[in-house]
Amino acid sequence: MRPLRVLVADDNPLNLRLATRILREMGHSGVLVQDGAKALEALAAQRFDVVLLDVTMPGMDGIEALRELRARERGGAARTAVIMVTAHDLPEDRRRLLQAGADGYVAKPIDAERLAAELARVMGH
């Protein structure tokens, strides 16, 4: 897979460091933000191949940010792949996130192999 430019949105500094390390080891680069509002700001200012978006964050959570991003895309913005990241790993959680517009889903703690597989699937590799 070609190197990807990834936006990572998570309010937990440990999760941000883990995601950054995993992405770097896979040859990808990451930009880090702490909430959904900052993710939307970054997406308005720069182009990313994919977003890793935590579901539960203070202020604007991941689902709200995802819905806003998809609304912007319906208004003409380029589509960006979104993989939701959550501590909840139940089938109904996955279904709810995909119905909200997510392209993929990974459970916390992030596992490098699972993330690599989901990135490859979402990016069509």
Side-chain angles (χ1 to χ4, degrees):
M1 179 185 311
R2 70 174 171 79
L4 300 173
R5 185 160 163 72
V6 183
L7 176 63
V8 182
D10 196 309
D11 62 313
N12 184 313
L14 292 174
N15 291 334
L16 288 171
R17 282 199 302 269
L18 174 62
T20 301
R21 183 177 53 89
I22 291 170
L23 291 168
R24 192 175 310 127
E25 288 173 1
M26 286 190 258
H28 307 307
S29 64
V31 171
L32 312 176
V33 296
Q34 291 79 31
D35 63 41
K38 296 257 189 272
L40 290 171
E41 287 175 18
L43 286 160
Q46 305 175 51
R47 178 81 177 121
F48 294 91
D49 296 302
V50 64
V51 180
L52 297 181
L53 189 57
D54 184 27
V55 171
T56 308
M57 294 181 285
M60 180 181 281
D61 69 20
I63 294 175
E64 187 179 351
L66 174 62
R67 288 183 177 137
E68 174 62 28
L69 173 61
R70 294 303 186 229
R72 289 179 183 183
E73 292 168 350
R74 284 189 296 279
R79 191 170 196 305
T80 302
V82 176
I83 297 174
M84 300 300 288
V85 181
T86 182
H88 306 286
D89 194 17
L90 299 171
E92 54 268 17
D93 295 317
R94 178 180 171 85
R95 195 169 25 258
R96 178 176 61 97
L97 296 173
L98 295 175
Q99 287 173 347
D103 298 289
Y105 163 97
V106 292
K108 288 182 185 180
I110 296 174
D111 173 78
E113 288 182 24
R114 175 72 182 127
L115 179 57
E118 195 67 355
L119 281 169
R121 187 189 69 73
V122 166
M123 299 309 295
H125 299 277

